[in-house]
Amino acid sequence: MQDRTSSDPAIDVLVVDDDPLQGAIISGVCIKLGYRPHFAASYQEAADRLAADRYDYVTIDLSLGDHDGIELLRLIADHDTKPRRIIVISGCDQRILNATVRMAHAVGMLDTVSLPKPIDLTLLRSALSTLPESAALRRRSDAGAACITTADLSRGIDNGEVYAAFQPKIDLASGKVIGCEALARWDSPTFGAVGPDLFIPLAEQGGLIKAITFSMLRDAMRFAAAFIATEPRFVVAVNLSASLLSDTSLPEEIEHLLAEIGVPARALMVEITETTAMADVGRAMDVLLRLRLKGVGISMDDFGTGYSSLSALARMPFSELKIDRSFVKDCLTDADMWKIVSSSVAIAHQYNMKVVAEGIEDTATWRALDALGCDIGQGYEFSRALPQDAFVDWYRGWTARHPGEAAAMLQRGA
Ligand code: C2E
Ligand code: MG
Ligand code: MG
């Protein structure tokens, strides 16, 4: 292999395989793509190379003689500089491959994909050539996050930099827009667009979560007020951190806000995240029950992630269950994910709850989930979260293309 120089912009691939023939085939594909392959025939050789250099891609054979690929994945996860994509290659059971990819995601290597053996060269070529920029962007935003303080966020809120974007919720059977979810956005002149996964935890730690939530509720209910004039059943969802549920005055404060804006309680759905983090279950129950009695819908967000637990489902007065997007994303190709999604739909219906699938990214998944009996969907297949005016434009276009229940029922011969 050639020497590496820091000024050279070529893409470097570390090929880890104890079978030299297989290594040569993968290296050949890399060379055809204009990349520079580096071969490691053992765990130790790969570990040494990873300690010395940075690679854009790493392909890993799961069985490496005396060590296994999982040990190597763990080693990579502990490194400060990670490859932009990891391709796990193995002849073992597809379930083991899927579980390996999930493990890699869980330890932060989000761009990990798998390929079965014998290698299909077309699949390998496509795994090596579709490198998204997201990994680099994620690194940059993680680095930025380290220097953002609660004081920055507080100033951002005061300056009106935090606002609500709206993502549609779709009735899967008819394609009708039944409502939307308000998602917090922060456009900071200093840090750029900061994602809620970064600033919501900061708000929770720094005592700013109530301020953000009420600003979101206000934006969301003003938006609902404009919609329900023509769509009386339109519901706008707002995320509510479980930590806020220890404040027993919350139902009345929300009721006042609804009255002030002039919208009925049924126009609001609150999505509760991290139900296991409810510090005081008795108080949380009190707050949720009173919200429900006032007519506000209550949704259990991120179901299945370990934050939203089965016992909370049985105890609390939820009206909707949202299956986390990590299960929906690959449910058509990963049998384990499909089992989780279909059981979640069945459980929700046993509790007379509506069920929402988050993260629907293609028409095939939409159709399959509709056939399964899932009620509502949300995801890039329909639209990303949009600022208010853009949502209204999107809504007009979508409604013109999907006239709704009547047409869908006629099509099915109902
Ligand atoms: P969530 O409530 O589960 O929101 C859904 C997330 O999935 C959103 O990410 C949305 O943009 C993303 N998403 C929707 N469809 C797709 C898809 O098809 N593919 C993919 N890959 N992603 C999709 P976002 O906006 O980054 O929000 C992340 C989380 O931040 C939210 O998860 C929620 O837990 C939290 N969050 C956002 N806004 C608020 C807020 O106002 N208050 C609180 N407490 N939490 C908030
Ligand atoms: Mg949500
Ligand atoms: Mg969710």
Side-chain angles (χ1 to χ4, degrees):
M1 303 285 161
Q2 306 98 311
D3 279 341
R4 297 179 61 178
T5 56
S6 55
S7 58
D8 190 341
I11 290 181
D12 287 290
V13 184
L14 180 62
V15 178
V16 189
D17 208 308
D18 63 347
D19 174 356
L21 181 63
Q22 179 94 1
I25 293 173
I26 299 172
S27 301
V29 171
C30 294
I31 290 167
K32 278 225 172 70
L33 288 167
Y35 302 166
R36 195 165 43 191
H38 307 262
F39 185 59
S42 67
Y43 169 88
Q44 198 49 54
E45 218 180 304
D48 292 345
R49 282 188 171 277
L50 285 162
D53 272 317
R54 193 187 167 278
Y55 296 90
D56 297 287
Y57 294 91
V58 179
T59 75
I60 301 178
D61 179 12
L62 266 194
S63 39
L64 286 173
D66 52 339
H67 284 76
D68 58 55
I70 308 279
E71 290 173 271
L72 194 58
L73 279 171
R74 209 180 313 121
L75 186 97
I76 296 173
D78 290 340
H79 268 276
D80 286 341
T81 48
K82 297 189 178 51
R84 292 166 73 188
R85 169 171 286 175
I86 295 172
I87 302 168
V88 178
I89 301 172
S90 171
C92 64
D93 189 87
Q94 185 64 40
R95 290 195 63 193
I96 295 180
L97 262 185
N98 291 345
T100 307
V101 170
R102 286 202 291 273
M103 187 222 86
H105 290 177
V107 294
M109 293 177 300
L110 297 176
D111 200 356
T112 300
V113 297
S114 70
L115 287 182
K117 261 188 188 173
I119 295 186
D120 175 330
L121 289 186
T122 318
L123 289 181
L124 175 63
R125 210 169 286 130
S126 110
L128 281 167
S129 40
T130 53
L131 186 64
E133 281 310 302
S134 59
L137 289 176
R138 207 179 300 123
R139 267 201 303 278
R140 214 184 319 141
S141 87
D142 284 352
C147 27
I148 300 177
T149 63
T150 318
D152 295 321
L153 178 57
S154 178
R155 253 191 313 276
I157 298 170
D158 292 346
N159 294 342
E161 293 157 19
V162 177
Y163 63 94
F166 299 94
Q167 186 177 36
K169 287 168 102 167
I170 305 285
D171 175 68
L172 290 181
S174 63
K176 192 172 160 59
V177 186
I178 51 125
C180 59
E181 175 176 5
L183 289 158
R185 297 289 177 261
W186 178 17
D187 286 345
S188 156
T190 319
F191 306 105
V194 186
D197 283 331
L198 292 175
F199 71 81
I200 293 292
L202 193 65
E204 277 169 352
Q205 288 152 24
L208 296 169
I209 191 65
K210 191 160 181 184
I212 289 192
T213 304
F214 270 82
S215 138
M216 293 291 291
L217 279 165
R218 200 169 287 280
D219 282 1
M221 290 302 99
R222 287 197 180 124
F223 191 53
F227 255 91
I228 53 175
T230 48
E231 294 285 349
R233 282 155 60 195
F234 198 81
V235 177
V236 183
V238 174
N239 290 283
L240 206 66
S241 298
S243 60
L244 287 177
L245 297 178
S246 52
D247 179 353
T248 46
S249 60
L250 193 77
E252 283 66 40
E253 289 179 61
I254 291 183
E255 192 175 38
H256 284 145
L257 187 130
L258 293 170
E260 185 192 311
I261 296 173
V263 282
R266 66 179 148 74
L268 173 64
M269 168 84 75
V270 288
E271 296 190 4
I272 314 291
T273 49
E274 303 207 23
T275 48
T276 49
M278 287 176 188
D280 183 334
V281 174
R283 277 189 187 208
M285 181 80 100
D286 171 313
V287 168
L288 289 180
L289 267 175
R290 280 189 295 127
L291 279 171
R292 196 86 173 77
L293 286 171
K294 291 179 196 303
V296 173
I298 304 189
S299 175
M300 179 188 270
D301 209 348
D302 304 337
F303 183 69
T305 57
Y307 299 119
S308 282
S309 72
L310 265 181
S311 65
L313 187 71
R315 282 197 313 259
M316 309 273 183
F318 289 103
S319 43
E320 179 185 275
L321 178 151
K322 290 187 88 170
I323 307 172
D324 190 67
R325 63 184 187 276
S326 58
F327 303 113
V328 175
K329 191 166 63 83
D330 299 319
C331 70
L332 291 193
T333 50
D334 185 332
D336 294 331
M337 295 296 121
W338 180 256
K339 281 178 202 150
I340 294 177
V341 169
S342 50
S343 328
S344 304
V345 170
I347 288 179
H349 286 164
Q350 274 167 24
Y351 283 100
N352 289 323
M353 292 157 67
K354 291 275 187 205
V355 52
V356 184
E358 269 182 3
I360 299 181
E361 294 191 355
D362 53 60
T363 313
T365 308
W366 171 5
R367 298 299 172 211
L369 291 173
D370 175 32
L372 181 68
C374 181
D375 306 290
I376 299 162
Q378 199 177 329
Y380 297 166
E381 163 68 4
F382 312 111
S383 171
R384 290 177 184 248
L386 300 168
Q388 191 159 326
D389 292 347
F391 183 95
V392 173
D393 288 345
W394 172 89
Y395 177 82
R396 289 207 185 100
W398 180 271
T399 313
R401 275 177 283 129
H402 299 83
E405 280 142 329
M409 278 162 61
L410 277 175
Q411 259 172 17
R412 281 197 230 112

